[in-house]
Amino acid sequence: MSTRKPDSFLSKERTHTDQSLNNERGRTDESLTLFQTKTEKETEDSVKQGRTLADKLRVSNRTDSDANELKKNNGTLSSRDQNTLTKLLSEQRVIDDKSIAAERTRMDAAMKLEREKYDATAAKLLSRERNETDKNLSHERDETDSLNLKSTNLFNEEVTSHSSTKEQLTSRDEFVAIVSHDLRNPLGAIKSCTDTLLEDASANGLSSDLIQWLQFIKRNAETSLRLISDILDMEQVANGKMLLNKSKINVGALVRQEIEVYNHIAKKNKIHLTAIEPTVNTVIVCDGDRVSQVLSNLIGNAIKFTKEGGLVTLKIEQVEDSLQVAVCDTGPGIPVEQQERIFDRYAQIKNKDRRGLGLGLYISRMLLEAHAGKIWVESTLGKGSTFYFCIPNKC
């Protein structure tokens, strides 16, 4: 699996960022220039309009003032004096106009100086803002580089971990193959040989002690084969390879068969194993071998945890649209806080009781869920437990 090239990626990202920043600066400068030009034009237009209006008012006021002055002195001044007054007014106008022109020149110079100061201040502020932006951008780049480097390292670690996990999965598949073939076959041969020896024990003149040892070997071989089957089933469930071979099955007949299988073990432990005959039709569509496996797990556990003189009872009922099977025992019971956890994988490993790997109930739950069914327990400490499972009539 190829990895990213962080240097090339960062360089491309930086180029794109710089280009975007330059474009943004250009747009900002252009907007600022347009705004300044517009502002200056509006100011000049406003000044021109003010000056034009002031000139009109001044001319109007002068004309009215001259007319009033001449009218007022019309009867008292001679013609020569009136001419002199008119000349004086005209000279006064020239002086006023020069004063106004000089004042305007000073105002224009002041406005120009103010504009230059404003432009210089704006340029300084803009430069400082750009420097601050560049500083922030540099800091942001450093953080981005650090984060990208960290992400690249994490990605590389993930690739390495994935490769390691893949190797481990390959090793686990090899382990499962070994369990399936190299362990199961020898144990099957041991069980087959002990069965043959026990069948002809009397004919071969085997002593009672030897028969007990053969029975001990057989039991342990059967236990090992069951554990191996549980491991293989667990792997099938984990890999989604659990396939069901469904057909019409009489669950009542399966219950009777399992009771016959476990009856000798129950009698040996002085436990009464029985089934209440069902009063409903117990034929449903299911995988008979898998349902037998669930029954075997539940009955085996019930006998294992029930003391001498105890009772294990099986009952079949029709509940709504499902067939329900109950396995009741008079064992020690299960604490409430553990009643959900016991269906988890390897649940019993965490308990003091280490009998079995704790796969049976987990596999039973998976098998029943594959049938669209479910399994649960109701228990009272000191009085016993009842394990229920149900399978829809049409699954």
Side-chain angles (χ1 to χ4, degrees):
M1 183 180 293
S2 62
T3 60
R4 294 183 298 176
K5 296 181 179 179
D7 293 340
S8 176
F9 173 78
L10 291 177
S11 178
K12 183 178 179 181
E13 188 66 22
R14 282 180 173 177
T15 301
H16 178 71
T17 302
D18 290 342
Q19 184 178 359
S20 299
L21 181 61
N22 290 331
N23 293 337
E24 187 65 26
R25 281 178 172 174
R27 287 192 292 268
T28 302
D29 293 344
E30 182 179 357
S31 299
L32 182 60
T33 302
L34 290 175
F35 176 75
Q36 288 177 339
T37 303
K38 182 179 178 182
T39 302
E40 291 175 356
K41 187 176 183 306
E42 289 177 351
T43 302
E44 290 176 355
D45 291 343
S46 177
V47 171
K48 286 181 180 179
Q49 290 176 1
R51 286 177 176 177
T52 301
L53 181 60
D55 290 343
K56 287 181 179 180
L57 290 174
R58 187 174 65 256
V59 170
S60 176
N61 290 336
R62 281 178 178 176
T63 302
D64 292 342
S65 177
D66 292 348
N68 290 332
E69 187 67 26
L70 291 173
K71 184 177 179 181
K72 181 177 67 173
N73 296 297
N74 189 27
T76 58
L77 296 176
S78 63
S79 176
R80 182 179 178 182
D81 291 337
Q82 287 181 355
N83 290 335
T84 301
L85 178 60
T86 301
K87 184 179 179 181
L88 290 173
L89 290 173
S90 178
E91 291 175 354
Q92 186 63 39
R93 285 179 181 176
V94 173
I95 294 172
D96 290 342
D97 289 342
K98 289 182 178 180
S99 298
I100 291 171
E103 184 64 26
R104 284 181 176 175
T105 302
R106 287 193 297 271
M107 290 178 62
D108 291 341
M111 289 177 62
K112 182 179 179 181
L113 181 60
E114 188 66 25
R115 283 179 184 171
E116 291 175 352
K117 289 182 178 179
Y118 172 79
D119 292 342
T121 302
K124 184 177 181 181
L125 290 175
L126 181 61
S127 176
R128 186 167 63 186
E129 186 65 25
R130 283 181 175 177
N131 291 334
E132 187 67 24
T133 301
D134 291 342
K135 182 179 179 181
N136 292 335
L137 179 62
S138 177
H139 179 68
E140 186 69 22
R141 277 179 176 174
D142 292 340
E143 288 188 348
T144 302
D145 292 348
S146 177
L147 289 174
N148 277 282
L149 181 60
K150 184 177 180 181
S151 299
T152 302
N153 292 335
L154 290 174
F155 178 76
N156 292 333
E157 290 176 2
E158 184 67 22
V159 171
T160 303
S161 177
H162 176 74
S163 300
S164 176
T165 302
K166 188 175 180 180
E167 293 176 358
Q168 291 176 3
L169 289 174
T170 302
S171 300
R172 190 178 71 176
D173 291 340
E174 294 174 352
F175 168 74
V176 172
I178 293 173
V179 170
S180 177
H181 183 269
D182 294 348
L183 293 181
R184 199 172 191 176
N185 290 345
L187 287 170
I190 292 172
K191 180 179 178 299
S192 178
C193 290
T194 55
D195 286 339
T196 301
L197 290 172
L198 289 172
E199 287 176 0
D200 299 330
S202 59
N204 293 329
L206 301 178
S207 64
S208 59
D209 290 340
L210 185 56
I211 292 175
Q212 288 181 358
W213 282 113
L214 289 173
Q215 290 175 341
F216 175 78
I217 294 172
K218 179 183 177 181
R219 286 195 303 272
N220 281 275
E222 289 175 343
T223 300
S224 298
L225 286 172
R226 178 176 59 80
L227 294 176
I228 292 172
S229 296
D230 286 346
I231 292 173
L232 295 175
D233 286 341
M234 184 186 67
E235 287 300 313
Q236 287 183 342
V237 170
N239 295 325
K241 297 179 181 179
M242 179 66 69
L243 299 178
L244 300 179
N245 184 19
K246 294 182 179 181
S247 61
K248 289 186 177 181
I249 299 295
N250 189 328
V251 177
L254 293 181
V255 169
R256 288 190 292 271
Q257 291 174 10
E258 292 302 320
I259 286 180
E260 290 178 1
V261 170
Y262 281 93
N263 196 42
H264 70 285
I265 300 176
K267 287 182 177 179
K268 182 179 179 181
N269 293 312
K270 298 180 181 180
I271 296 171
H272 184 58
L273 175 62
T274 185
I276 299 175
E277 284 297 320
T279 58
V280 297
N281 180 23
T282 61
V283 176
I284 60 173
V285 177
C286 64
D287 186 326
D289 291 337
R290 294 304 189 182
V291 174
S292 292
Q293 185 176 352
V294 173
L295 286 168
S296 177
N297 284 329
L298 296 181
I299 296 172
N301 283 342
I303 293 174
K304 181 167 59 178
F305 292 103
T306 300
K307 295 181 179 180
E308 290 186 2
L311 178 65
V312 176
T313 306
L314 280 77
K315 182 170 62 174
I316 304 176
E317 295 178 306
Q318 183 69 36
V319 178
E320 296 180 354
D321 59 348
S322 298
L323 191 68
Q324 178 177 290
V325 179
V327 180
C328 310
D329 65 57
T330 56
I334 304 170
V336 175
E337 63 273 10
Q338 295 186 17
Q339 290 180 13
E340 286 294 330
R341 192 179 63 80
I342 59 174
F343 295 103
D344 295 338
R345 185 165 47 180
Y346 305 128
Q348 288 187 6
I349 286 182
K350 301 176 183 178
N351 294 336
K352 293 180 179 179
D353 194 326
R354 300 296 290 274
R355 287 175 284 181
L357 287 177
L359 295 174
L361 292 177
Y362 167 76
I363 293 171
S364 296
R365 189 187 72 183
M366 295 296 103
L367 292 175
L368 290 167
E369 288 180 354
H371 282 85
K374 61 180 181 178
I375 184 172
W376 69 99
V377 64
E378 294 178 1
S379 181
T380 302
L381 290 177
K383 294 184 178 180
S385 306
T386 299
F387 283 84
Y388 297 89
F389 74 85
C390 65
I391 300 176
N393 295 329
K394 298 179 180 179
C395 63

